[in-house]
Amino acid sequence: MREFRVRGKTFGGVPRDHWRKANERLDPETDYREIYRNAVAHEFPWDMNQALSFALFRTYAVPGIGALLDATGQFTGAVQKRYDDTALLLEVPAEKGFEDPEARAAIRRINQMHRAYDIPDHEMRYVLSTFVVVPKRWLDAYGKRPFTETELRASVNYYRALGRHMGIPDIPETYDAFAHLMDSYERAHFAYDEGSRRVADSTLGLMLTWYPKVAGPAVDIFSRALMDAPLREALGYAAPPPRVEKLMRGALRARGRMLRVFPARMTVQGVADLRWVRSYPDGHDVTQLGTFPVPGVAGCPVRHDATDATPA
């Protein structure tokens, strides 16, 4: 249990299963924010970031969502900033709690951005469901361990609370209900759309810039290998050869097994620490994150009451 530091981060000094045990001592009905934060910032930081990125990617395959994102131009003309803003805004409530003034400001900003458009409640519920379901399935497949029942319940309760602060009605109460919502919604709504494809291409293009140029083709294939068939079909992406897909998924599973022997991360891994978040090298103000949608953008119906957000 020797403690050591790597690139300014502290590891070890506690048992490898420190965060699992810490979370099991907490109550997922009341301590859900702390449990979820431990999972995101300490136990599974890379996995949760990847899973939540793929969760957002799934939403592009719903034409109502993908076409709107394309019409705003934010995910094509300013994809790095839009990616960064989304990640930074969503992190604040998990990091500081829903009653913190900065978290309330972040949620108001999210609500303000969403309220500029006539986004149906069913689309908002679907997006929320991906944040619950995709990370659980990712960890089942590729993590060093899956969520415990306590951690899974905490994740459900955390996103139920976030959904309430965003004014989303009829939020599922259990993980199984969230999973049923996501799966049935995708069966009914996944379809190809040119705007959705442009948003997906732009996001994949951004991901390629996070790695050395020579790695670009491998990153592209790897990303498509991790998509399931319905998602690839809805976005019009070709599947990699079966052997390549099996190899790449196997490599990710092997990484998860290797991490079982690594020491516990004791230093928080936040969004601002990720090398692919680049828009604010000198810091940021949550009230200024996000580009407020411009009324009259072609293809984007705008609410006339979208002057402010409901307080969190």
Side-chain angles (χ1 to χ4, degrees), residues 50-269:
Q50 298 302 309
L52 291 171
S53 294
F54 269 95
L56 283 171
F57 213 92
R58 299 192 75 82
T59 68
Y60 304 163
V62 175
I65 299 173
L68 176 60
L69 293 173
D70 176 60
T72 67
Q74 294 178 20
F75 270 89
T76 50
V79 62
Q80 178 74 67
K81 183 179 185 301
R82 188 64 173 83
Y83 179 93
D84 294 351
D85 289 358
T86 299
L88 289 166
L89 285 168
L90 288 174
E91 180 185 53
V92 183
E95 179 182 8
K96 300 190 174 184
F98 289 103
E99 299 308 313
D100 179 86
E102 188 174 352
R104 292 170 65 86
I107 293 172
R108 280 196 297 270
R109 191 61 177 144
I110 293 170
N111 287 342
Q112 185 182 43
M113 294 165 68
H114 287 159
R115 285 184 170 218
Y117 299 103
D118 281 321
I119 303 174
D121 289 335
H122 61 82
E123 289 184 355
M124 299 289 285
R125 273 193 301 274
Y126 166 66
V127 173
L128 193 69
S129 76
T130 67
F131 293 165
V132 175
V133 178
V134 176
K136 194 266 187 193
R137 292 178 177 175
W138 176 282
L139 291 174
D140 286 348
Y142 308 121
K144 66 179 181 180
R145 66 171 178 84
F147 274 147
T148 66
E149 286 300 315
T150 296
E151 291 166 337
L152 183 60
R153 182 61 191 166
S155 175
V156 168
N157 285 336
Y158 176 80
Y159 280 106
R160 280 177 51 78
L162 179 62
R164 288 194 298 271
H165 282 80
M166 294 174 64
I168 302 174
D170 303 321
I171 301 171
E173 296 183 1
T174 66
Y175 171 78
D176 287 343
F178 269 114
H180 175 73
L181 186 159
M182 189 185 97
D183 292 339
S184 60
Y185 195 92
E186 289 180 353
R187 285 194 296 270
H189 293 276
F190 267 14
Y192 182 77
D193 177 84
E194 291 289 345
S196 296
R197 174 59 185 261
R198 281 191 291 271
V199 172
D201 286 346
S202 181
T203 304
L204 274 180
L206 172 65
M207 293 169 62
L208 297 184
T209 70
W210 299 340
Y211 302 93
K213 194 170 184 179
V214 68
V219 174
D220 175 68
I221 295 173
F222 191 77
S223 299
R224 288 186 285 114
L226 296 181
M227 298 178 190
D228 54 79
L231 177 59
R232 281 194 300 251
E233 291 170 6
L235 293 174
Y237 286 136
R243 287 189 303 172
V244 173
E245 182 172 336
K246 183 177 180 180
L247 175 65
M248 292 190 168
R249 288 176 177 254
L252 204 53
R253 285 192 290 269
R255 170 194 170 274
R257 290 192 294 269
M258 288 176 57
L259 287 178
R260 295 172 189 171
V261 302
F262 276 56
R265 174 189 289 270
M266 303 309 295
T267 306
V268 167
Q269 172 78 61

Side-chain angles (χ1 to χ4, degrees), residues 262-306:
F262 276 56
R265 174 189 289 270
M266 303 309 295
T267 306
V268 167
Q269 172 78 61
V271 170
D273 300 316
L274 301 173
R275 61 185 174 83
W276 47 79
V277 175
R278 304 166 173 170
S279 300
Y280 306 100
D282 300 319
H284 62 276
D285 176 354
V286 296
T287 65
Q288 301 302 312
L289 294 177
T291 302
F292 193 83
V294 178
V297 174
C300 298
V302 180
R303 290 171 59 124
H304 297 292
D305 60 346

